[in-house]
Amino acid sequence: MAEATTKKIAIITGSTRAVRIGPQVAKFVTEVLEANLSEATNKAVKFSLSQVDIASFKLPVFDEAVIPATVPMFAQFEHEHSRAWSAEMSKYDGYVIVTAEYNIGVPAAIKGKPFLIISYGITGGGSASDGLQKTLAKGIYAHVVETRPMLSFAKNEPFEYGLPLDMRLASTGTLGEQSLKEWVDKKPEIIKGFGELKEYLVKDSESPPA
């Protein structure tokens, strides 16, 4: 029997702010996905998860002289931080992006690969999810799975300055317990999106090379 193929999936923390809850949200997502990291139906494909924090790469506003889409076919990145980020992204077959209400830049190394977008924010981060979906699907022709879970902060008391408790906690870098409790109801949607990502990777592994 042939050895099973392993498809590597990166769980990307998109927030790079000094005060952020992105890593805490990514931890919640990772725990949900790890509990559903079963082999594909045909047993020929396995999956592995790795966490990737964009902040750890200390990327500046894009400062390269080349267009990312031309790398590595026609040009090369000049700066080490760009090369390190591109090399990291090239390791994976698929991606789960955990994004807040603002967007992130994407490297050419992920062109054509599949994505699951999970957003969070006071109303679930829908605008960020929509914007990122368009960037990925239309900008670099990546496949974005249909299900895009959106995690809203709890609208819990006490309210101060018109803001609920968990929203104020998020502004200090703390993910509120009530939000985590409410997100339990979102697990089936996260699992559904993850299933769509895995299904795409399985089909891709079964496709004959061009």
Side-chain angles (χ1 to χ4, degrees), residues 116-132:
L116 163 61
I117 299 173
I118 301 176
S119 60
Y120 63 93
I122 190 168
T123 58
S127 59
S129 180
D130 290 343
L132 187 52

Side-chain angles (χ1 to χ4, degrees), residues 24-75:
Q24 298 167 65
V25 180
K27 180 177 182 293
F28 168 79
V29 170
T30 300
E31 290 173 351
V32 174
L33 300 188
E34 285 180 340
N36 292 271
L37 200 63
S38 58
E39 294 181 9
T41 305
N42 62 8
K43 305 297 182 181
V45 179
K46 294 183 178 180
F47 303 95
S48 66
L49 297 175
S50 298
Q51 291 195 48
V52 179
D53 189 347
I54 292 178
S56 68
F57 289 83
K58 303 189 183 303
L59 298 173
V61 175
F62 190 70
D63 59 352
E64 295 285 349
V66 299
I67 299 173
T70 65
V71 178
M73 293 77 70
F74 308 109

Side-chain angles (χ1 to χ4, degrees), residues 4-5 7 11 47 50 55 82 168 174 183 198 203:
T5 299
K7 293 292 187 178
I11 302 175
F47 303 95
S50 298
S82 301
R168 300 198 312 277
T174 301
W183 290 357
K198 291 191 293 183
K203 288 182 177 179

